[in-house]
């Protein structure tokens, strides 16, 4: 039996005000083509289908269209809820999607027997059993007890997660015996596992209770398909516990890892065979850094770029000049180039130097404009148009106050 394991689509995400809709549309089309090319029997989405609990209508449309197009291939779809997903949003179409060969498991609340699924091959015969574990909310799997220390709460949550997996795995073994076939058992999860490498776009979960779930506490499933961590990676050496990662880069610090989905071949009595299918890059993104001269030199290199879409840039400046002045200069340098500056910020070392120098200054040494520009420089959204509008509004207010002050002084005279 062949599965595709994917996760963390985050449909509906806006990246510094930029929509990811074209990228997601292209990815979902590509995924359908992979299902056809590799004769995949089931696709597992291990959480975070949507970026928010109330996704925009176009994101829901992408999701629903994918379900319909996938059904036409004869492939089964299993969708697990993630920490970004709303249980109510996923469940609102659950029964309808069940008629389209799609199973939705939004939460762990309810009958555990319904969370053990039989995955079928394209000919309708059983191919594997699935312990369908979504993001586990503590309230769904444990009862809080008064007077517990932070350490005791962490241990209790770890044990509750372990027990939930163990219960589903035992139910899967029972069903395997009932079916009378040596079916592989697959499990899913949406959580942080010890040893996993995270990125800036990963939101911490189980805050204050559980930092990471130990890989050794998972049941001995043939393959464990995980979501939540956006960098694709194997958690254990033999690779049967794995994060598929997000299909597109959700932060600039994810650019160092190639995005992929996992093609998993399951054969009874044999180890799962995992092949990574690289996802094409639909939106080029780059991080450039250095002093102003180095940044300008790197920008000029984009003059020969001939891609279909402009490159989104994260510009890290090593300069103690006002960020507003640097930003204006870099924006002028980038005009006419096939780039969009999404984020412009100081390097960490430079920010520390600026703060140290500013701490030694007194307010009496600064003009009103100095104070304003320094506060504005703390904003790192890189939107020069917005900053210019804020400056104009600020100067209008200052001008009006100065006029009122002069009028007050004239009246007193």
């Amino acid at each position: 039996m062949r599965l595709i394991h994917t996760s963390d689509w985050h449909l509906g995400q806006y990246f510094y005000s930029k929509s990811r809709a074209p990228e997601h549309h292209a990815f979902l089309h590509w995924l359908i083509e992979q299902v056809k090319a590799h004769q995949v029997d089931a696709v597992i989405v291990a959480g975070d289908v949507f970026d928010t609990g109330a996704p925009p209508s176009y994101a829901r449309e992408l999701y629903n269209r994918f379900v319909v197009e996938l059904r036409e291939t004869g492939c089964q779809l299993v969708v697990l809820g993630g920490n970004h997903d709303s249980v109510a949003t996923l469940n609102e179409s659950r029964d309808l999607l069940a008629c389209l060969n799609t199973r939705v498991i939004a939460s762990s609340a309810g009958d555990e027997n319904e969370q053990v699924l039989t995955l079928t091959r394209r000919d309708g015969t059983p191919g594997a059993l699935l312990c369908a574990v979504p993001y586990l909310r503590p309230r769904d799997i444990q009862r809080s007890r008064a007077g517990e220390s932070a350490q005791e709460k962490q241990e209790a949550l770890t044990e509750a997660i372990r027990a939930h997996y163990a219960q589903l795995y035992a139910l899967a073994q029972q069903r395997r015996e009932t079916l009378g076939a040596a079916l592989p058992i697959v499990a899913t999860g949406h959580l942080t596992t010890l040893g996993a490498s995270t990125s800036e776009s990963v939101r911490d979960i189980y805050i204050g209770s559980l930092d990471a779930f130990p890989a050794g506490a998972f049941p001995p499933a043939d393959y464990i398909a995980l979501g939540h961590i956006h960098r694709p990676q194997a958690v254990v050496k033999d690779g049967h516990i794995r994060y598929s990662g997000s299909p597109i880069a959700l932060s600039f610090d994810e650019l160092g890892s190639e995005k992929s989905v996992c093609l998993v071949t399951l054969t009874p009595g044999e180890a799962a065979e995992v092949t990574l299918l690289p996802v094409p890059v639909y939106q080029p993104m780059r991080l450039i850094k250095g002093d102003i001269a180095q940044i300008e030199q790197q920008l000029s290199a984009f003059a020969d770029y001939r891609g279909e879409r402009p490159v989104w840039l994260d510009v890290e400046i090593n300069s103690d000049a006002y960020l507003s002045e640097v930003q204006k200069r870099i924006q002028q340098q980038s005009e006419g180039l096939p780039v969009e500056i999404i984020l412009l910020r100081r390097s960490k070392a430079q920010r520390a130097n600026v703060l140290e120098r500013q701490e030694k200054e007194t307010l009496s040494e600064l003009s009103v404009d100095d104070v304003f520009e320094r506060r504005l420089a703390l904003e790192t959204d890189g939107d020069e148009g917005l900053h210019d509008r804020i400056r104009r509004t600020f100067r209008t207010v200052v001008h009006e106050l100065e006029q009122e002050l002069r009028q007050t002084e004239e009246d007193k005279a």
Side-chain angles (χ1 to χ4, degrees), residues 306-342:
R306 295 294 180 267
E308 295 182 3
R309 298 177 60 85
V311 181
W312 287 354
L313 295 181
D314 175 6
V315 181
E316 185 178 297
I317 294 290
N318 184 17
S319 171
D320 58 1
Y322 284 132
L323 197 59
S324 58
E325 297 174 359
V326 174
Q327 188 172 28
K328 185 175 296 185
R329 179 171 170 178
I330 291 177
Q331 290 286 1
Q332 291 173 347
Q333 176 73 16
S334 65
E335 288 181 5
L337 295 175
V339 300
E340 289 186 55
I341 298 177
I342 304 299

Coordinates of all heavy atoms in Angstrom, one line a residue, residues 306-342:
R306 N 15.2 36.1 -14.1 CA 14.2 36.0 -15.1 C 13.0 35.1 -14.7 O 12.4 34.5 -15.5 CB 14.7 35.5 -16.4 CG 15.7 36.5 -17.1 CD 15.1 37.8 -17.5 NE 16.0 38.7 -18.2 CZ 16.7 39.6 -17.5 NH1 16.5 39.8 -16.2 NH2 17.5 40.4 -18.1
G307 N 12.8 35.0 -13.4 CA 11.7 34.2 -12.9 C 10.3 34.8 -13.2 O 10.2 35.9 -13.5
E308 N 9.3 33.9 -13.0 CA 7.9 34.3 -13.3 C 7.4 35.3 -12.2 O 6.6 36.1 -12.5 CB 7.0 33.1 -13.4 CG 7.3 32.2 -14.6 CD 6.3 31.1 -14.7 OE1 5.4 31.0 -13.9 OE2 6.5 30.2 -15.6
R309 N 7.9 35.1 -11.0 CA 7.4 35.9 -9.9 C 8.6 36.6 -9.2 O 9.7 36.1 -9.2 CB 6.7 35.0 -8.8 CG 5.5 34.3 -9.3 CD 4.9 33.3 -8.3 NE 4.5 34.1 -7.1 CZ 3.3 34.6 -6.9 NH1 2.4 34.5 -7.9 NH2 3.0 35.3 -5.8
P310 N 8.3 37.9 -8.7 CA 9.4 38.6 -8.1 C 9.9 37.9 -6.8 O 9.1 37.2 -6.2 CB 8.8 40.0 -7.7 CG 7.3 39.7 -7.7 CD 7.1 38.6 -8.7
V311 N 11.1 38.1 -6.5 CA 11.7 37.4 -5.3 C 11.3 38.2 -4.0 O 11.5 39.4 -4.0 CB 13.2 37.3 -5.4 CG1 13.8 36.6 -4.2 CG2 13.6 36.6 -6.7
W312 N 10.8 37.5 -3.0 CA 10.5 38.1 -1.8 C 11.8 38.1 -0.9 O 12.5 37.1 -0.8 CB 9.5 37.3 -1.0 CG 8.1 37.5 -1.6 CD1 7.7 38.3 -2.6 CD2 6.9 36.8 -1.2 NE1 6.4 38.2 -2.9 CE2 5.8 37.3 -2.0 CE3 6.6 35.8 -0.2 CZ2 4.5 36.8 -1.9 CZ3 5.3 35.3 -0.1 CH2 4.3 35.8 -0.9
L313 N 12.1 39.3 -0.4 CA 13.4 39.4 0.3 C 13.2 39.8 1.8 O 12.4 40.6 2.2 CB 14.2 40.6 -0.3 CG 14.7 40.4 -1.8 CD1 15.5 41.6 -2.2 CD2 15.5 39.1 -1.9
D314 N 14.1 39.1 2.6 CA 14.3 39.5 4.0 C 15.7 40.2 4.0 O 16.7 39.5 3.7 CB 14.3 38.3 4.8 CG 14.6 38.5 6.3 OD1 14.8 39.7 6.7 OD2 14.7 37.6 7.1
V315 N 15.7 41.4 4.3 CA 17.0 42.2 4.3 C 17.4 42.5 5.7 O 16.7 43.1 6.5 CB 16.8 43.5 3.5 CG1 18.2 44.3 3.5 CG2 16.3 43.3 2.1
E316 N 18.6 41.9 6.1 CA 19.2 42.1 7.4 C 20.3 43.1 7.3 O 21.4 42.8 6.7 CB 19.6 40.8 8.0 CG 20.1 40.9 9.4 CD 20.5 39.5 10.0 OE1 19.6 38.7 10.1 OE2 21.7 39.4 10.3
I317 N 20.2 44.3 7.9 CA 21.1 45.4 7.8 C 22.1 45.4 8.9 O 21.7 45.3 10.1 CB 20.4 46.7 7.7 CG1 19.6 46.8 6.4 CG2 21.4 47.9 7.7 CD1 20.4 46.9 5.2
N318 N 23.4 45.5 8.6 CA 24.4 45.7 9.6 C 24.9 47.2 9.5 O 25.9 47.5 8.9 CB 25.6 44.8 9.4 CG 26.6 44.9 10.5 OD1 26.4 45.4 11.5 ND2 27.8 44.4 10.2
S319 N 24.1 48.1 10.1 CA 24.4 49.5 10.1 C 23.7 50.2 11.3 O 22.7 49.8 11.7 CB 23.8 50.1 8.8 OG 23.9 51.5 8.8
D320 N 24.4 51.2 11.8 CA 23.8 52.0 12.9 C 23.1 53.2 12.5 O 22.7 54.0 13.3 CB 24.9 52.3 13.9 CG 26.0 53.2 13.3 OD1 25.9 53.5 12.1 OD2 27.0 53.5 14.1
A321 N 22.9 53.4 11.2 CA 22.1 54.5 10.7 C 20.7 54.3 11.0 O 20.2 53.2 11.3 CB 22.3 54.7 9.2
Y322 N 19.9 55.4 10.9 CA 18.5 55.3 11.2 C 17.9 54.3 10.2 O 18.2 54.4 9.0 CB 17.7 56.6 11.0 CG 17.9 57.6 12.2 CD1 18.3 58.9 12.0 CD2 17.8 57.1 13.5 CE1 18.5 59.8 13.0 CE2 18.0 58.0 14.6 CZ 18.3 59.3 14.3 OH 18.5 60.1 15.4
L323 N 17.0 53.4 10.7 CA 16.5 52.4 9.8 C 15.6 53.0 8.7 O 15.6 52.5 7.6 CB 15.7 51.4 10.6 CG 15.3 50.0 9.9 CD1 16.6 49.3 9.6 CD2 14.5 49.2 10.8
S324 N 15.0 54.1 9.0 CA 14.1 54.8 8.0 C 15.0 55.3 6.9 O 14.6 55.2 5.7 CB 13.4 55.9 8.7 OG 14.3 56.9 9.3
E325 N 16.2 55.8 7.2 CA 17.0 56.3 6.1 C 17.6 55.2 5.3 O 17.7 55.2 4.0 CB 18.2 57.1 6.7 CG 17.7 58.4 7.5 CD 18.9 59.1 8.2 OE1 20.0 58.5 8.1 OE2 18.7 60.1 8.8
V326 N 18.0 54.1 5.9 CA 18.5 52.9 5.2 C 17.4 52.3 4.4 O 17.6 51.9 3.2 CB 19.0 51.9 6.3 CG1 19.4 50.6 5.6 CG2 20.2 52.4 7.1
Q327 N 16.2 52.3 4.9 CA 15.1 51.7 4.2 C 14.8 52.5 2.9 O 14.6 51.9 1.8 CB 13.8 51.7 5.1 CG 12.7 50.9 4.5 CD 11.6 50.8 5.5 OE1 11.4 51.6 6.4 NE2 10.8 49.7 5.4
K328 N 14.8 53.8 3.0 CA 14.6 54.6 1.8 C 15.6 54.4 0.7 O 15.3 54.3 -0.4 CB 14.5 56.1 2.2 CG 14.2 57.0 1.1 CD 14.0 58.5 1.6 CE 12.9 58.6 2.6 NZ 12.7 60.0 3.0
R329 N 16.9 54.3 1.2 CA 18.0 54.1 0.2 C 17.9 52.7 -0.5 O 18.1 52.6 -1.7 CB 19.3 54.2 1.0 CG 20.5 53.9 0.1 CD 21.8 54.3 0.8 NE 23.0 53.9 0.1 CZ 24.3 54.1 0.5 NH1 24.5 54.7 1.7 NH2 25.3 53.6 -0.2
I330 N 17.5 51.7 0.3 CA 17.4 50.3 -0.2 C 16.2 50.2 -1.2 O 16.2 49.6 -2.2 CB 17.4 49.3 0.9 CG1 18.8 49.2 1.6 CG2 17.0 47.9 0.4 CD1 18.8 48.3 2.7
Q331 N 15.1 50.9 -0.8 CA 13.9 50.9 -1.6 C 14.2 51.5 -3.0 O 13.8 51.1 -4.0 CB 12.8 51.6 -1.0 CG 12.2 50.9 0.2 CD 11.3 49.7 -0.2 OE1 11.2 49.4 -1.3 NE2 10.8 49.0 0.8
Q332 N 15.0 52.6 -3.0 CA 15.4 53.3 -4.2 C 16.3 52.4 -5.1 O 16.1 52.3 -6.3 CB 16.1 54.6 -3.9 CG 15.2 55.7 -3.3 CD 16.0 56.9 -2.9 OE1 17.2 56.9 -2.8 NE2 15.3 58.0 -2.6
Q333 N 17.2 51.6 -4.4 CA 18.1 50.7 -5.1 C 17.3 49.6 -5.7 O 17.7 49.1 -6.8 CB 19.1 50.2 -4.1 CG 20.1 49.2 -4.7 CD 21.1 49.8 -5.6 OE1 21.3 51.0 -5.6 NE2 21.8 48.9 -6.4
S334 N 16.2 49.2 -5.1 CA 15.5 48.0 -5.6 C 14.5 48.3 -6.7 O 13.9 47.4 -7.3 CB 14.8 47.3 -4.4 OG 13.8 48.1 -3.9
E335 N 14.2 49.6 -6.9 CA 13.3 50.0 -7.9 C 13.7 49.5 -9.3 O 14.8 49.6 -9.7 CB 13.1 51.5 -8.0 CG 12.4 52.1 -6.8 CD 12.2 53.6 -6.9 OE1 12.6 54.2 -7.9 OE2 11.7 54.2 -5.9
G336 N 12.7 48.9 -10.0 CA 13.0 48.3 -11.3 C 13.5 46.9 -11.3 O 13.7 46.3 -12.3
L337 N 13.9 46.4 -10.1 CA 14.4 45.0 -10.0 C 13.2 44.1 -9.7 O 12.2 44.5 -9.1 CB 15.4 44.9 -8.8 CG 16.7 45.7 -9.0 CD1 17.6 45.6 -7.8 CD2 17.5 45.2 -10.2
P338 N 13.3 42.8 -10.1 CA 12.3 41.9 -9.9 C 12.3 41.3 -8.4 O 12.4 40.1 -8.2 CB 12.6 40.8 -10.9 CG 14.1 40.8 -11.0 CD 14.5 42.2 -10.9
V339 N 12.2 42.2 -7.5 CA 12.2 41.8 -6.0 C 11.1 42.6 -5.3 O 10.7 43.7 -5.7 CB 13.6 42.1 -5.4 CG1 14.7 41.3 -6.1 CG2 13.9 43.6 -5.4
E340 N 10.7 42.1 -4.2 CA 9.8 42.8 -3.2 C 10.5 42.6 -1.8 O 10.7 41.5 -1.4 CB 8.4 42.2 -3.2 CG 7.6 42.5 -4.5 CD 6.2 42.0 -4.3 OE1 5.5 42.4 -3.4 OE2 5.7 41.2 -5.2
I341 N 10.7 43.7 -1.2 CA 11.3 43.7 0.1 C 10.2 43.5 1.1 O 9.4 44.4 1.4 CB 12.1 45.0 0.4 CG1 13.3 45.1 -0.5 CG2 12.6 44.9 1.9 CD1 14.1 46.3 -0.4
I342 N 10.1 42.3 1.7 CA 9.0 41.9 2.6 C 9.4 42.3 4.0 O 8.5 42.7 4.8 CB 8.8 40.4 2.5 CG1 8.5 40.0 1.1 CG2 7.7 40.0 3.4 CD1 7.2 40.6 0.5

